């Protein structure tokens, strides 16, 4: 049985629909990341799960039981906020223990739980401090500790790392992954950062304007994006999107008019988008069959890779190549790719097509 | 800059220095300049029961009215912070008592307290809480309380507005966190709201205490310090000494004592704020 279910959950403010029929089913121990641009409704979903907002329609279930009418404090859920939301005049110790204190857990038991969690998070030396005396990373740990200590059924995280600097963000990311492995709890985690999503999630739900565009494992999302939106949103640098016509024999690229032959036969021709990830492009040699020609604008070494910015038939084309390659500006280059790395989307609907 | 400073110093400083000089003389309001009498005025004031009585009346007035204002102000702010229909109209109405000139407010309450046709008597008698009409301002036992109510009614909106602004500064996430943590309304007030309320409230408290300590106009209009001096505050006493009894010398001494007391109050408060701010951050 699933731990958390959202069934047809919608939310409107007046005539503005913020969420449209959200369906999510989460098994125990899963780490679901809601990934999407700012304003697409990620926090609204979390707040509905937590009970801080009620949906306009639809049902929320925990362990199969409807909880729409259950007060947030009785939902067995803990939430970590982007702003940390620590109580400013309470010590770290009381901040962490606040949920237990409010639930009438005795002092000794509370203290034991606090110390245990503080050890796990390596903040046991800070228990007497006030939040204002902590660094951003330490505050984040306290906020996580406050959620952990209650041993809830479900953890909700709302962009917990977005206020940290890059190095700390990476550390905390690893830390969260370690915690999830160790505790095996169910997590719903909101972020607009696709790296966070790819590294943390057991499943990702890519959101767009109040709808779930695709939900799947990081591999599915990356290797088989269901829509052009997902394809462009996930991956850095983003996937190359080239307008093309799909006909009986293969693809004809717009701009250059280049033809790419595909095995099998298709019916009527249709307007499509060909998607190629920069990391799936290689320097072609004579034996390669699937090839696209381009003129190099410039190249940026990033360390392990070199990012080549080129043009194909007037459209930009980006390739990520091993850094030992020498790429000269203004040179004509032929990139090869393999058929399983091609992504084709219907241009009108954005839906993935299997050619 | 320097000439400007000199002008300012003399405009502000000269009357002050002259008051200090006067306070050591037996000068009358009209007539000759008066003779130097040393600290005699001060000695007489501190030995007089009138001064100490006025001091306690002032303290009672200030403490009780500010206490009522703060409690009422915070409660009303909490109420107006909730989401309900007509909230904005009520918020606008809230400013009314405070916007009223003190003299108008005083006259208004004199009408309410009027022993023959006052609204308070009518209301209390009609609801059976009182057997007979009473002279609220004419009775030494009720006059000060009646004044305090009138003053608190006028001034609680300031506290309410300051509190309301502070309430809106409480971060939404912290309130949400407390709800998820299972805190009830009282705990949420104690641990989430109050920390954000204390600072602004402290400022309101200082402003109001100092103002209440200097109170003159509302009392002058409503009771002139009576009956039987039961509402005679220090400012009223200063006025009577200097103008009614025309004793400019001891009036000046008294005025300086009041000034000193208010200044000490302000300094003590400032220290308190610094201390509580230091404890919190
Ligand atoms: N109380 C509200 N009234 C009207 N619109 C709101 C309200 N709260 C949020 N919204 C709108 O809902 C949308 C989704 O918000 P949110 O869930 O916070 O997005 P995200 O967390 O993905 O950035 C935003 O466009 C926001 O403007
Ligand atoms: Mg958000």
């Amino acid at each position: 049985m699933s731990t958390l279910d959202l069934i047809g959950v919608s939310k409107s403010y007046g005539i503005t629909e913020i969420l449209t029929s959200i369906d999510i089913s989460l098994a125990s121990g899963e780490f679901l990341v809601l990934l999407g641009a700012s304003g697409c409704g990620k926090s609204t979903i979390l707040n509905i799960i937590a009970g801080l907002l009620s949906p306009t329609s639809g049902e929320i279930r925990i362990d199969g039981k409807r909880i729409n009418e259950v007060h947030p404090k009785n939902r067995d859920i803990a939430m970590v906020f982007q702003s940390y939301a620590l109580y400013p005049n309470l010590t770290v110790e009381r901040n962490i223990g606040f949920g237990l204190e409010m639930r009438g857990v005795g002092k000794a038991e509370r203290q034991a739980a606090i110390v245990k969690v503080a050890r796990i998070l390596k903040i046991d030396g800070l228990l007497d401090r006030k939040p204002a005396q902590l660094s951003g990373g330490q505050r984040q740990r306290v906020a996580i500790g406050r959620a952990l200590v209650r041993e809830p059924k479900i953890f909700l995280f709302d962009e917990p790392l977005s206020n940290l600097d890059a190095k700390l963000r990476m550390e905390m990311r690893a830390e969260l992954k370690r915690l999830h492995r160790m505790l095996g709890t169910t997590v719903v985690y909101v972020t607009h950062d696709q790296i966070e999503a790819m590294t943390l999630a057991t499943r990702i739900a890519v959101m767009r304007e109040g709808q779930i565009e695709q939900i799947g494992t990081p591999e599915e999302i990356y290797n088989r994006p269901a829509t052009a939106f997902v394809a462009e949103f996930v991956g850095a640098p983003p996937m190359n999107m080239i307008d093309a016509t799909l006909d009986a024999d293969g693809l004809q690229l717009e701009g250059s008019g280049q033809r790419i032959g595909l095995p099998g036969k298709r019916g009527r021709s249709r307007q499509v988008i060909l998607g190629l990830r920069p990391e799936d492009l290689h320097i072609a040699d004579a034996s390669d069959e699937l090839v696209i020609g381009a003129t190099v604008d410039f190249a940026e070494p990033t360390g392990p890779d070199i990012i080549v910015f080129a043009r194909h038939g007037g459209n930009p084309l980006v390739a990520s190549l091993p850094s030992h390659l020498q790429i000269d500006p203004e040179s004509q280059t032929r990139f090869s790719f393999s058929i399983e790395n091609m992504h084709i989307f219907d241009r009108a609907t954005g839906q993935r097509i299997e050619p | 800059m320097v000439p400007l400073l000199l002008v300012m110093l003399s405009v502000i400083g000269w009357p002050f220095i002259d008051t200090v000089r006067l306070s050591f003389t037996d000068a009358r309001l009209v007539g000759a300049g008066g003779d130097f009498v040393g600290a005699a005025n001060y000695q007489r004031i501190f030995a007089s029961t009138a001064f100490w009585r006025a001091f306690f009346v002032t303290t009672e007035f200030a403490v009780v009215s500010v206490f009522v204002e703060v409690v009422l102000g915070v409660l009303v702010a909490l109420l107006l912070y909730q989401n309900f229909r007509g909230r904005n109209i009520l918020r606008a109405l809230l400013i009314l008592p405070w916007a009223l000139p003190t003299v108008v407010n005083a006259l208004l309450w004199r009408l309410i307290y009027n022993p023959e046709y006052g609204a308070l008597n009518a209301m209390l008698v009609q609801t059976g809480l009182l057997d007979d009409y009473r002279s609220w301002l004419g009775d030494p036992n009720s006059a000060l309380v009646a004044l305090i109510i009138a003053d608190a009614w006028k001034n609680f909106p300031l506290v309410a507005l300051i509190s309301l602004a502070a309430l809106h500064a409480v971060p939404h996430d912290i309130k949400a966190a407390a709800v998820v943590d299972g805190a009830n309304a009282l705990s949420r007030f104690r641990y989430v709201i109050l920390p954000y309320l204390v600072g602004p409230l402290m400022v309101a408290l200082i402003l109001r205490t100092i103002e209440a300590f200097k109170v003159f106009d509302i009392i002058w209009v409503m009771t002139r310090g009576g009956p039987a001096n039961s509402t005679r505050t220090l400012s009223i006493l200063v006025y009577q000494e200097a103008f009614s009894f025309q004793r400019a010398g001891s009036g000046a001494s008294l005025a300086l004592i009041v000034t000193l007391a208010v200044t000490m109050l302000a300094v003590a408060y400032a220290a308190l704020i610094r201390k509580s701010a230091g404890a919190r951050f």
Side-chain angles (χ1 to χ4, degrees):
Chain A
M1 187 173 57
S2 50
T3 293
L4 174 71
D5 290 288
L6 269 66
I7 302 156
V9 168
S10 300
K11 177 75 184 172
S12 310
Y13 290 107
I15 55 163
T16 318
E17 191 154 66
I18 304 293
L19 294 177
T20 313
S21 193
I22 299 290
D23 291 303
I24 294 173
S25 181
L26 215 56
S28 173
E30 274 202 272
F31 197 121
L32 175 75
V33 172
L34 300 176
L35 176 64
S38 175
C40 71
K42 307 181 296 291
S43 297
T44 306
I45 293 188
L46 275 202
N47 285 325
I48 285 174
I49 297 172
L52 296 166
L53 286 177
S54 43
T56 310
S57 62
E59 202 168 275
I60 305 116
R61 293 186 190 156
I62 291 184
D63 290 340
K65 276 201 287 289
R66 175 186 165 97
I67 56 156
N68 286 44
E69 290 76 25
V70 176
H71 188 275
K73 70 166 189 256
N74 299 325
R75 289 191 180 194
D76 207 0
I77 277 172
M79 190 157 172
V80 177
F81 297 85
Q82 178 177 358
S83 61
Y84 316 135
L86 301 180
Y87 309 114
N89 63 332
L90 299 186
T91 60
V92 166
E93 176 169 357
R94 281 194 76 193
N95 259 285
I96 295 176
F98 194 73
L100 299 178
E101 190 181 332
M102 291 299 113
R103 284 169 170 77
V105 174
K107 195 168 166 67
E109 191 183 336
R110 211 160 69 212
Q111 203 125 24
I114 293 167
V115 168
K116 185 175 148 212
V117 163
R119 287 229 178 88
I120 294 174
L121 290 165
K122 305 183 192 84
I123 47 174
D124 40 339
L126 307 174
L127 289 178
D128 296 329
R129 300 230 193 134
K130 294 278 178 71
Q133 299 166 302
L134 302 176
S135 70
Q138 289 168 336
R139 280 181 218 179
Q140 186 59 75
R141 283 168 190 269
V142 175
I144 293 171
R146 190 170 60 182
L148 280 186
V149 80
R150 287 187 24 219
E151 301 183 357
K153 189 157 275 156
I154 299 168
F155 282 99
L156 306 176
F157 288 89
D158 196 347
E159 312 215 20
L161 307 186
S162 58
N163 286 348
L164 302 178
D165 62 49
K167 182 168 175 292
L168 215 51
R169 194 149 61 218
M170 223 160 88
E171 273 174 36
M172 282 310 291
R173 213 164 65 203
E175 184 90 17
L176 284 175
K177 196 157 179 122
R178 181 177 73 91
L179 281 175
H180 181 244
R181 285 237 181 83
M182 188 169 88
L183 305 169
T185 40
T186 311
V187 176
V188 182
Y189 184 105
V190 160
T191 184
H192 63 265
D193 182 325
Q194 45 146 330
I195 311 269
E196 256 172 52
M198 295 299 285
T199 50
L200 287 172
T202 59
R203 271 199 300 161
I204 297 176
V206 181
M207 291 190 58
R208 176 196 195 182
E209 290 171 12
Q211 287 180 299
I212 292 182
E213 193 81 359
Q214 183 178 6
I215 185 161
T217 65
E219 293 71 30
E220 283 165 2
I221 298 282
Y222 181 81
N223 294 328
R224 287 180 51 80
T227 65
F229 176 84
V230 173
E232 262 194 295
F233 196 83
V234 176
M239 187 185 278
N240 295 296
M241 303 300 250
I242 303 159
D243 284 348
T245 309
L246 181 66
D247 54 30
D249 305 318
L251 285 165
Q252 171 150 359
L253 305 190
E254 275 175 26
S256 65
Q258 182 181 340
R259 284 206 65 86
I260 294 171
L262 293 174
K265 289 283 177 203
R266 279 147 298 271
R268 64 180 177 87
S269 73
R270 60 207 280 198
Q271 307 271 290
V272 298
I273 302 169
L274 168 64
L276 292 170
R277 291 203 183 278
E279 51 274 33
D280 290 334
L281 294 176
H282 312 284
I283 298 291
D285 54 38
S287 64
D288 285 317
E289 282 176 22
L290 291 173
V291 168
I292 186 167
T295 312
V296 174
D297 282 331
F298 59 94
E300 278 180 353
T302 64
D305 303 309
I306 182 163
I307 311 292
V308 178
F309 294 84
R311 271 168 295 128
H312 165 87
N315 296 312
L317 190 72
V318 179
S320 174
L321 303 172
S323 60
H324 62 82
L325 291 175
Q326 179 66 36
I327 308 288
D328 297 320
E330 296 306 318
S331 61
Q332 292 293 320
T333 309
R334 283 157 30 92
F335 295 108
S336 69
F337 51 92
S338 58
I339 195 155
E340 60 269 23
N341 288 335
M342 288 174 63
H343 306 271
I344 298 173
F345 306 99
D346 185 288
R347 213 187 300 171
T349 65
Q351 295 298 311
R352 185 182 188 87
I353 300 169
E354 301 302 340
Chain B
M1 270 316 282
V2 174
L4 189 70
L5 216 65
L6 281 178
V7 170
M8 274 181 60
L9 269 182
S10 50
V11 168
I12 298 168
W14 186 79
F16 182 74
I17 291 165
D18 198 50
T19 306
V20 173
R21 182 191 63 77
L22 262 180
S23 77
F24 291 101
T25 69
D26 61 0
R28 308 277 308 171
L29 197 59
V30 286
D35 298 320
F36 181 74
V37 293
N41 287 335
Y42 290 98
Q43 281 167 353
R44 221 158 20 82
I45 288 167
F46 284 122
S48 74
T49 49
F51 168 77
W52 288 110
R53 175 110 192 268
F55 178 79
F56 286 119
V57 167
T58 309
T59 308
E60 187 184 341
F61 178 87
V63 169
V64 178
S65 70
V66 171
F67 177 78
V68 172
E69 283 161 29
V70 167
V71 171
L72 200 62
V74 171
L75 285 179
V76 168
L78 285 172
L79 193 75
L80 291 181
Y81 181 60
Q82 312 302 320
N83 245 327
F84 59 88
R85 278 173 72 92
R87 175 176 87 161
N88 291 338
I89 296 172
L90 278 182
R91 283 187 178 188
L93 284 178
L94 175 66
I95 309 178
L96 260 175
W98 193 58
L100 232 48
T102 307
V103 175
V104 175
N105 181 54
L107 291 172
L108 187 81
W109 281 92
R110 254 175 65 171
L111 281 178
I112 293 173
Y113 290 138
N114 189 289
E116 279 142 44
Y117 45 82
L120 182 64
N121 276 320
M123 200 180 77
L124 291 178
V125 169
Q126 273 160 30
T127 53
L129 289 170
L130 204 66
D131 293 331
D132 220 342
Y133 278 29
R134 284 177 60 175
S135 175
W136 300 100
L137 292 173
D139 182 346
N141 291 319
S142 62
L144 188 60
V145 175
L147 275 178
I148 286 173
I149 292 171
D151 187 63
W153 183 79
K154 174 171 167 48
N155 286 308
F156 88 89
L158 177 73
V159 181
L161 287 176
I162 289 175
S163 305
L164 200 53
L167 286 178
H168 279 283
V170 181
H172 177 266
D173 280 359
I174 300 192
K175 286 183 285 181
V179 171
V180 175
D181 266 343
N184 58 26
L186 203 64
S187 300
R188 289 207 299 277
F189 179 75
R190 165 81 184 74
Y191 295 109
V192 178
I193 307 279
L194 203 56
Y196 288 87
L197 215 51
V198 165
L201 218 49
M202 209 65 137
V203 174
L205 200 71
I206 294 171
L207 284 176
R208 286 300 312 139
T209 314
I210 289 170
E211 252 178 41
F213 210 80
K214 298 186 299 189
V215 67
F216 178 81
D217 35 16
I218 191 170
I219 296 179
W220 192 249
V221 173
M222 287 181 74
T223 63
R224 305 218 160 205
N229 293 334
S230 64
T231 62
R232 186 165 73 180
T233 59
L234 287 170
S235 293
I236 301 274
L237 191 62
V238 172
Y239 180 89
Q240 287 179 347
E241 188 69 11
F243 297 103
S244 306
F245 305 123
Q246 313 241 328
R247 288 193 284 263
S250 55
S253 318
L254 203 50
L256 283 174
I257 291 171
V258 177
T259 309
L260 195 70
V262 171
T263 309
M264 274 165 32
L265 207 61
V267 170
Y269 264 133
L272 200 69
I273 285 196
R274 263 202 304 280
K275 206 168 137 245
S276 72
R280 222 150 58 83
F281 298 106

